[in-house]
Amino acid sequence: QVHLVESGGGLVQAGGSLRLSCAASGNFYAINRMGWYRQAPGKQRELVAIITSGDNTNYVDSVKGRFTVSRDNAKNTCYLQMNTLEPEDTAVYYCYAGVRMTVLPATWNHWGQGTQVTVSS
């Protein structure tokens, strides 16, 4: 069983900053990719940022230059630093982890419960 617990969401004015955290716990072998997705009302869930176990990152175009994803492997924790927030960033943000349960390379997708980010204009 793997648990992802997010924290750091909230209400902020446009131009402000927030930092999201996601801590993974449970009985697993390793975490490959970790990252963040978001879902705004009436829209599909979209990838925001992802980071591999080798610290390679990928971002959706709309957040490049404003958001930074990072991870602390010793703590099994992923972070999303969000700067220069815009009202269009308002969404529920979900933590994602691709987890290896054993030494075998197969990974299993796990999701956090979501944290609300609201950016006021």
Side-chain angles (χ1 to χ4, degrees):
Q1 191 76 7
V2 178
H3 296 282
L4 301 179
V5 178
E6 300 133 333
S7 60
L11 173 64
V12 65
Q13 288 188 332
S17 298
L18 284 174
R19 189 190 194 209
L20 305 182
S21 299
C22 173
S25 62
N27 189 14
F28 53 86
Y29 177 75
I31 300 176
N32 284 356
R33 299 189 306 166
M34 291 190 82
W36 299 89
Y37 286 70
R38 68 185 178 187
Q39 187 166 18
K43 295 187 177 181
Q44 290 188 333
R45 188 176 296 190
E46 67 170 351
L47 171 67
V48 177
I50 205 83
I51 183 167
T52 69
S53 56
D55 287 340
N56 293 312
T57 58
N58 191 32
Y59 298 89
V60 66
D61 286 346
S62 61
V63 309
K64 287 180 180 177
R66 301 188 297 122
F67 291 10
T68 302
V69 63
S70 61
R71 61 191 286 174
D72 183 335
N73 292 326
K75 297 181 179 179
N76 292 319
T77 299
C78 180
Y79 305 96
L80 185 67
Q81 178 66 44
M82 304 185 292
N83 297 329
T84 320
L85 282 159
E86 304 169 353
E88 292 74 22
D89 296 317
T90 295
V92 177
Y93 284 68
Y94 296 92
C95 178
Y96 162 82
V99 179
R100 292 172 62 186
M101 304 303 292
T102 72
V103 68
L104 297 175
T107 60
W108 301 88
N109 297 328
H110 294 272
W111 298 90
Q113 77 285 358
T115 185
Q116 177 70 45
V117 171
T118 303
V119 184
S120 63
S121 58

